[in-house]
Amino acid sequence: MGKTFDNGMICASEQSVVIEQEVYDDLKEKFINRGVHFVYGEDREKLAKFMRKDNKINPDVVGKSAIEIARKAGIYMGTMPDGTVILGTEEERFAIGENYPFSHEKLSPI
């Protein structure tokens, strides 16, 4: 989980993970146990809007902690564990391009 080093500032850190269905549940559980907090629904939309500004990386996410980004994005903190180090979400297949903000470079622990 290279995104936890320097809060994802290094552009060589993982931007996404492709997981085979056979190991999906097990790997997702491991991510959660290592501090990944998955966001869905309204919180996911808030994060998507906050992380991009003028079709570029929002400078307010660059190098910030997952918890700081979540607060600034207005994500509900009531279910977020204190040890959260990465904000994760699930995406549909082939969700790449302009209309998919999570497919862009993030320079943050998203």
Side-chain angles (χ1 to χ4, degrees):
M1 293 192 348
K3 284 225 170 257
T4 61
F5 179 77
D6 285 350
N7 287 325
M9 285 286 297
I10 298 173
C11 61
S13 68
E14 304 88 351
Q15 297 297 311
S16 63
V17 179
V18 177
I19 305 171
E20 293 288 333
Q21 191 64 44
E22 297 82 36
V23 297
Y24 180 84
D25 292 333
D26 185 48
L27 187 57
K28 184 176 177 185
E29 183 179 332
K30 288 179 180 179
F31 282 154
I32 291 168
N33 290 338
R34 295 196 46 127
V36 177
H37 177 71
F38 286 88
V39 294
Y40 301 99
E42 186 179 325
D43 285 339
R44 184 181 189 280
E45 293 304 314
K46 288 177 182 178
L47 181 60
K49 288 177 184 173
F50 182 72
M51 62 189 255
R52 305 285 298 166
K53 187 175 186 177
D54 300 324
N55 206 27
K56 297 178 184 153
I57 298 171
N58 180 349
D60 288 336
V61 303
V62 175
K64 303 296 190 279
S65 73
I67 291 178
E68 185 176 353
I69 293 168
R71 282 189 185 120
K72 288 182 175 184
I75 292 173
Y76 176 65
M77 304 295 290
T79 58
M80 185 176 299
D82 290 337
T84 296
V85 293
I86 293 176
L87 298 172
T89 191
E90 297 173 79
E91 191 63 87
E92 58 191 75
R93 293 183 83 182
F94 309 114
I96 300 169
E98 248 181 76
N99 296 326
Y100 301 95
F102 293 102
S103 72
H104 295 266
E105 186 172 49
K106 298 161 211 59
L107 300 177
S108 61
I110 299 173

